[in-house]
Amino acid sequence: MNPVVAFVVVMLVWTVSDFVAKKTQSLLSSLFVASIIFLIGFLSGIFPEDLLSSSSLLALAGVVVGFIIVHLGTMISLDDFKKQWKTLLVGIATVLGIGVALLVAGWVFGPRISGSTADGYAQAIDFVVAGTGALSGGTISVLIVQDAALGVGLTNIAVFPVPIAALQGLIGFPLTSIILRKEAARLRDEYRAGNIEAVVVEEKDSAGTRLPDALTTTAGTLFVVGLVVLASLGINNLTNGVLNTFVVALVFGITLRSLGIFKPSVLGGIDAFGLMMIAIMILVFGPLATVEPSDVKALAFPLLLAFVFGVAGIAGFSALVGKLLGYSVPMSVAIGLTSLYGFPGTMILSQEAAKGAGETPEEVAAIEGQILPKMIVAGFSTVTITSVIVTSIIAGRIGTG
């Protein structure tokens, strides 16, 4: 596809999605609307499969995703990050909840979701393991499941996580949007009652940096942040992925902000930030281009069970643990639902909820200050950290019965 045409089509989709989100006051999030448009477009053949890759945005996203992660780190102070230990526990409970719920589904519906194939025999437990990894994790978890399944000749189990990974945003985005709207409205009332500390936006934006002026320009900022991303990649490679690139980048961002080297929201205000964010969001829609109607049809029943029981496990475990730790039920469930999409949805949905509930810049800033740090840490605790660990452990169960 012509690269310019592809770029223009993608921008049109995002423009329409953003317009709908604003008109519905984020009831229909921009991510959800864009997901629906892309899914229909790819399944119907209106959009060619190479639309996203031809636009060059996927390639750009692969380069700048680390930059955005560092930026996220600089949006959270070290004190804020320390306060999120409860969020980490809710995230762990969420992944366990998905596993338990899918295990129950396997016991109840096992004979109906298992079946022989030419290259192996898939049992209910295989779908449970594959579904847990896919629902609670990102690309890394899916790859772990696929490697284990192909290793014992179960191609249907290797395929199973792909439509889950591609479609789970369609479930997670609207559910989180609705729940966060309730939480944002509650926080707005708390702010008006004086129970939430005001966020002084001017002080955050005007915070200084120890970097020389030459390194605070658009090019200079991208150069310095790029060095941090390279360092994160290096640590990832040295530890064979034990210390994930994005986790390291987030920690670097938090640390460098705390040391005064990076200003808060280090990429904020530079000319390239808007385009970088759009490119990152395109990563969310990449898997939709590979979904075939036949894939969804063949695995329709296991997919339905995975989503119904998985979401039930997320809601039940996250709400219970979150409530015990002092979080509201909506905030707890929203934290759990991050397992269905992770970043950048965690940031976009938080910002949309805050803008939808707040009526003044001060209210929006106060609401976002309460929601965004939890959602960012939640995304990493469910998708990046907990899920990869859990998936690595349980993947060995595939094919063992």
Side-chain angles (χ1 to χ4, degrees):
M1 188 175 187
N2 182 280
V4 177
V5 174
F7 186 88
V8 171
V9 170
V10 170
M11 291 301 161
L12 173 61
V13 171
W14 196 254
T15 299
V16 172
S17 303
D18 195 40
F19 175 79
V20 173
K22 290 180 180 178
K23 285 296 183 180
T24 61
Q25 294 184 322
S26 300
L27 179 61
L28 297 176
S29 73
S30 55
L31 285 173
F32 174 69
V33 176
S35 296
I36 293 294
I37 295 174
F38 279 120
L39 180 62
I40 294 175
F42 287 127
L43 288 178
S44 64
I46 296 175
F47 293 164
E49 188 174 326
D50 65 345
L51 170 68
L52 300 181
S53 58
S54 296
S55 71
S56 299
L57 289 170
L58 279 179
L60 176 61
V63 173
V64 304
V65 61
F67 289 66
I68 301 298
I69 298 299
V70 174
H71 173 76
L72 286 177
T74 63
M75 295 175 68
I76 312 173
S77 69
L78 190 58
D79 288 338
D80 288 338
F81 191 77
K82 290 178 180 178
K83 294 176 183 177
Q84 298 309 318
W85 63 271
K86 294 181 180 180
T87 300
L88 179 62
L89 293 181
V90 175
I92 294 173
T94 295
V95 177
L96 295 177
I98 293 172
V100 170
L102 293 188
L103 190 59
V104 171
W107 286 336
V108 176
F109 297 96
R112 297 180 61 186
I113 66 173
S114 62
S116 60
T117 63
D119 50 9
Y121 184 82
Q123 301 185 66
I125 189 64
D126 299 325
F127 284 98
V128 170
V129 173
T132 301
L135 274 178
S136 64
T139 303
I140 296 176
S141 296
V142 172
L143 291 176
I144 292 172
V145 169
Q146 289 181 328
D147 183 63
L150 293 175
V152 292
L154 296 176
T155 56
N156 56 341
I157 296 300
V159 171
F160 184 52
V162 177
I164 290 181
L167 300 174
Q168 60 188 0
L170 297 176
I171 307 297
F173 295 148
L175 285 178
T176 305
S177 180
I178 293 171
I179 292 171
L180 279 184
R181 279 168 56 90
K182 294 182 179 180
E183 177 68 6
R186 184 188 71 82
L187 291 171
R188 179 196 59 206
D189 295 339
E190 289 289 316
Y191 174 79
R192 291 176 178 176
N195 298 326
I196 295 178
E197 185 178 351
V199 176
V200 184
V201 179
E202 293 77 14
E203 290 185 4
K204 292 180 70 175
D205 291 342
S206 62
T209 171
R210 295 183 181 181
L211 295 175
D213 291 341
L215 295 180
T216 60
T217 62
T218 294
T221 299
L222 292 176
F223 167 70
V224 176
V225 175
L227 292 179
V228 175
V229 175
L230 288 175
S232 303
L233 284 167
I235 293 174
N236 176 85
N237 294 336
L238 286 174
T239 61
N240 293 319
V242 174
L243 295 178
N244 182 270
T245 300
F246 298 152
V247 175
V248 176
L250 182 70
V251 173
F252 270 141
I254 296 171
T255 303
L256 291 173
R257 167 186 161 155
S258 300
L259 295 176
I261 297 175
F262 283 169
K263 66 177 184 179
S265 300
V266 64
L267 296 181
I270 69 170
D271 297 333
F273 181 56
L275 182 60
M276 291 169 70
M277 276 305 305
I278 292 177
I280 292 299
M281 289 183 283
I282 294 303
L283 281 176
V284 175
F285 313 122
L288 295 177
T290 63
V291 175
E292 298 290 342
S294 58
D295 295 334
V296 178
K297 182 178 180 180
L299 296 170
F301 188 63
L303 282 172
L304 178 63
L305 289 180
F307 281 121
V308 171
F309 279 81
V311 171
I314 290 171
F317 275 68
S318 61
L320 175 61
V321 175
K323 191 67 176 177
L324 291 175
L325 294 173
Y327 284 174
S328 68
V329 171
M331 189 70 251
S332 301
V333 176
I335 289 171
L337 288 171
T338 61
S339 61
L340 296 178
Y341 49 86
F343 175 82
T346 49
M347 181 171 68
I348 297 169
L349 294 173
S350 299
Q351 292 174 337
E352 287 184 346
K355 291 177 182 177
E359 297 179 1
T360 66
E362 292 76 17
E363 285 185 352
V364 171
I367 295 169
E368 185 176 314
Q370 292 292 316
I371 293 177
L372 186 57
K374 294 183 178 67
M375 291 293 285
I376 291 175
V377 175
F380 280 94
S381 67
T382 56
V383 176
T384 305
I385 303 175
T386 309
S387 175
V388 171
I389 294 173
V390 171
T391 304
S392 298
I393 294 172
I394 65 176
R397 291 282 299 168
I398 292 180
T400 64

